[in-house]
Amino acid sequence: MAGLTRRAALLGAGAALGVTGTRALKSSNPSYDGVTFIKPKGGAGVLNDASELSEAPIHKHVVLKQDPSEALVSALRVELKEAQSANRPLNIGAARHSMGAQAIPRNGHAITFENASVELDTSAQTYRAHAGARWSDVITALDPVGFSPAVMQSNNNFGLAATFSVNAHGWPVPYGPMGHTVRSLRMVLASGELVTCSRSENTDLFNLAMGGYGLIGLIVDMEIDMVPNQRLLPTFEELPAQDFGTRFLGAIGDKAVSMAYGRLNVDRARFFEDALMITYRAADDQADLPAASGSGLPSRIAARVYRWQLGNERMKRFRWWMETDVGPALGDGASTRNSLINEPVVTLDDRNPHRTDILHEYFVTPERFPEFLEVCRAVIPKSYQEFLNVTLRYIAQDDQSYLSYAATPRIAAVMSFSQEMTTRGEAGMKRMTKALIDGIVGIGGTYYLPYRPHATVEQLHRAYPRTAEFAAKKRALDPTLTLRNALWDNYIGVRT
C-alpha cells in the first residue's frame, strides 16, 4: 500500500494544481500556424518504429512463429535466399522500439518473431528462449520458480535477441550490458549456415553479434543467465549532482546493493544541479514472495504526473519535490525484483498525436560526470526541445562487443525528450543532438546507437573506434550485404 499511497498523493496534488492531463496541454501549446507536421502515412508496405519518424517502404513483412527448431531455420533460409536473389536487404525485429529504422530493411524483407517459448535449467541457473520471446514471457516463466532475469531492459515488451543486438543494459548491478549474461546462441549466417556461438565457440562471431544490430546473423535462440528473485527495499539519498558519479560508484561497491539508479532535477532554474540516488537491498523477510505484478495503476498515475511536466516548470519543480521529499517519507515499501522490472513501455505513452517521445543515452566515466553535467547545461536548456527526465544507471566494462559503448565502467544517462512532430522540431533535435555528442565524446564519453540518426559519420567513428573493423568483418561474412538496416546504410557501411 505504501507505493500506492505515494503515487496517489502525486495524482491528488496534480489535480490540485489544476492539471487535467496530457491532452489538455494542446490548448496551451504555441500556435502551429505555418508549421509543417510530420505525419506518418501508415498502411501496408511500410514499417515505422517507436519514434514515429522512421517510416520506410518494405518489400514484405513476414511474421514467423515457429519454435526454435529446423522449421524456423528453414524458414529463415528461404527468406535469405529470396532476398539475396533479388538483391534486397533483410532484417529481423521484435518490438521495433529503436528510433532510427535500425530494425527496418528499406525495400527489403522485414521479419518479426512471435514465439514465447522459454525453457529453464534451474541447476545451471540458465534459461533457453526463442530469440523473439519478450522479457514479459521470461518473467512469466521464471517467477513461479523463484528466479529473475539477470539483466534485461527497463521495460518488458522487447525481444531477447533485440536486446542482445543493441547491446542494451538494465539497472541491476554490478552488471555490464545484457550480452554479458548470454551463455550461448544459435544464429543463421548470411550464407545460410547455422552456427553456435559463445565465449568459447565462434567467439569472434559472438562478439560481433553482441551489439551488432542484426547485421551479423539471424539469431534463433539463446541461453541466458538467471538469478534468484528477491524481496527488495529501497533507500533514497539526495545529493549535489556534481557528487553523483563518485557516490554512485561507492554505492555500487556495496555488495548488498542489487539494483540502483539515479535521477537529476530537470527544472530549468536548477537544471542538473541536484541528484537523487535510489539503491535496493534484500529485505530480511524472503519468505513467500508474491507473484510478479508490475506496478500497474500506481505507475500509470505517476506517468500522468510525468506528462504534466510538458511546458510546465512549476510541475517539474513539484515532481522533484515529490520524488525527493514526499516519496522517501512515505516509502515505496518492499517489492520483488521481478515486480520492479515487469513494466510495459505503454505505461509511458504520451497519447498526443502532435508529439513523440525521443530518447537519448550517453555514457561517461564516473570521474568525468561533473564535466558531463556542464556539457548538458550548456546545450539542453537553450534548445527548442522539451526535456522531461534523465535516469542514471551503472554499466560495468564491456570489452567484448566490437561496438562497445563502455570500454571502461560508465554511468549511463538515459534522457527523455518530448519532441514536436514538425520539421522545425526535427531540425532542432538534430542540432541539439550533434552538440551533445560533440561535447560528451570530447570528454571521453559515448552515445547510444538505437536512437535518432542525427550524429555525423565522423562522430560515430570517434565514439566507436572499432567501427571500420566491424564493417570489414561484416562484409567478409555477408559479401552481398543482405543483412542491412538504416544503421548500416547511413553510418556503419559508409566508408571513410
Side-chain angles (χ1 to χ4, degrees):
M1 280 299 294
L4 179 59
T5 302
R6 175 188 175 192
R7 291 179 176 89
L10 286 171
L11 178 65
L17 286 175
V19 182
T20 57
T22 305
R23 291 189 181 277
L25 292 170
K26 295 177 190 175
S27 61
S28 62
N29 281 346
S31 171
Y32 291 113
D33 291 344
V35 175
T36 303
F37 278 94
I38 302 172
K39 294 183 178 180
K41 297 178 181 178
V46 298
L47 274 183
N48 212 330
D49 58 26
S51 71
E52 300 182 85
L53 299 170
S54 301
E55 191 170 75
I58 56 168
H59 173 71
K60 64 189 297 191
H61 182 200
V62 179
V63 177
L64 298 181
K65 301 183 179 182
Q66 298 94 326
D67 287 335
S69 61
E70 182 55 37
L72 179 60
V73 173
S74 296
L76 292 174
R77 286 171 174 158
V78 167
E79 292 300 326
L80 269 172
K81 185 175 181 180
E82 181 184 334
Q84 288 167 341
S85 65
N87 194 28
R88 289 192 290 260
L90 181 150
N91 199 269
I92 295 180
R96 289 191 173 83
H97 206 264
S98 55
M99 295 187 172
Q102 291 89 341
I104 301 177
R106 189 175 186 86
N107 295 315
H109 295 228
I111 298 175
T112 297
F113 277 164
E114 289 185 7
N115 188 295
S117 63
V118 180
E119 299 177 358
L120 279 60
D121 184 340
T122 55
S123 60
Q125 293 200 17
T126 64
Y127 58 95
R128 179 168 291 279
H130 190 290
R134 306 303 202 260
W135 289 107
S136 57
D137 301 323
V138 174
I139 292 172
T140 297
L142 270 56
D143 191 68
V145 295
F147 284 94
S148 179
V151 174
M152 61 169 271
Q153 288 167 278
S154 57
N155 295 104
N156 65 12
N157 308 84
F158 311 131
L160 272 64
T163 299
F164 179 80
S165 295
V166 301
N167 211 16
H169 61 85
W171 55 288
V173 297
Y175 293 98
M178 172 266 179
H180 288 209
T181 70
V182 175
R183 298 279 186 95
S184 67
L185 60 87
R186 294 191 305 153
M187 66 179 173
V188 178
L189 301 179
S191 65
E193 179 185 3
L194 177 67
V195 295
T196 299
C197 305
S198 67
R199 289 174 184 81
S200 59
E201 183 179 4
N202 291 314
T203 305
D204 201 47
L205 286 176
F206 184 85
N207 294 339
L208 285 164
M210 186 194 306
Y213 289 82
L215 298 169
I216 301 303
L218 309 177
I219 299 175
V220 175
D221 57 11
M222 314 173 75
E223 182 188 9
I224 309 172
D225 289 332
M226 60 188 186
V227 298
N229 190 22
Q230 288 184 310
R231 180 179 282 113
L232 301 173
L233 283 168
T235 299
F236 304 84
E237 181 183 353
E238 190 175 5
L239 65 156
Q242 65 179 8
D243 298 337
F244 182 85
T246 54
R247 296 278 286 278
F248 196 45
L249 197 60
I252 301 306
D254 181 352
K255 293 184 178 179
V257 174
S258 62
M259 301 187 78
Y261 69 96
R263 290 269 168 77
L264 295 175
N265 190 345
V266 301
D267 166 28
R268 286 178 180 264
R270 292 196 55 79
F271 190 77
F272 278 27
E273 296 287 347
D274 313 304
L276 177 67
M277 182 169 67
I278 303 94
T279 53
Y280 286 83
R281 295 168 176 82
D284 291 335
D285 178 15
Q286 294 294 329
D288 301 320
L289 297 184
S293 60
S295 50
L297 177 62
S299 185
R300 290 194 293 273
I301 294 172
R304 291 305 97 201
V305 175
Y306 174 85
R307 288 294 165 194
W308 295 333
Q309 298 178 104
L310 183 60
N312 191 330
E313 293 302 308
R314 184 183 178 192
M315 181 53 69
K316 290 178 182 178
R317 291 190 293 273
F318 171 76
R319 178 182 174 229
W320 184 251
W321 173 70
M322 293 297 295
E323 287 194 333
T324 57
D325 292 353
V326 178
L330 291 175
D332 264 352
S335 297
T336 67
R337 191 181 193 275
N338 281 338
S339 291
L340 287 170
I341 60 180
N342 194 30
E343 188 70 45
V345 73
V346 71
T347 302
L348 296 176
D349 183 13
D350 69 351
R351 304 178 186 177
N352 188 331
H354 300 308
R355 307 192 71 89
T356 183
D357 285 348
I358 297 298
L359 297 179
H360 288 211
E361 189 164 354
Y362 301 96
F363 308 92
V364 295
T365 57
E367 62 271 17
R368 304 199 75 168
F369 191 73
E371 296 171 80
F372 163 77
L373 296 173
E374 292 176 8
V375 171
C376 293
R377 291 188 197 114
V379 174
I380 297 175
K382 67 181 182 182
S383 75
Y384 180 67
Q385 304 305 317
E386 281 284 351
F387 188 53
L388 298 181
N389 186 66
V390 57
T391 300
L392 306 172
R393 299 171 185 158
Y394 173 80
I395 311 294
Q397 181 174 340
D398 171 22
D399 53 8
Q400 297 176 39
S401 171
Y402 275 72
L403 299 179
S404 172
Y405 49 73
T408 61
R410 302 290 172 103
I411 291 175
V414 186
M415 300 181 181
S416 177
F417 295 86
S418 176
Q419 179 185 324
E420 181 183 279
M421 291 184 68
T422 61
T423 52
R424 71 178 181 185
E426 181 72 352
M429 181 64 76
K430 187 172 185 177
R431 285 193 300 271
M432 184 192 71
T433 303
K434 287 182 176 180
L436 283 173
I437 292 173
D438 268 344
I440 292 168
V441 173
I443 60 170
T446 49
Y447 71 98
Y448 201 19
L449 298 177
Y451 301 132
R452 295 296 297 146
H454 293 327
T456 65
V457 173
E458 187 272 337
Q459 285 177 323
L460 171 74
H461 283 268
R462 285 177 60 204
Y464 294 86
R466 298 186 72 184
T467 297
E469 184 182 3
F470 175 92
K473 288 181 176 287
K474 186 270 191 303
R475 287 189 173 95
L477 287 165
D478 181 12
T480 60
L481 298 180
T482 302
L483 306 183
R484 297 204 314 272
N485 54 28
L487 184 63
W488 174 268
D489 294 341
N490 298 329
Y491 288 99
I492 297 175
V494 178
R495 298 181 187 270
T496 57

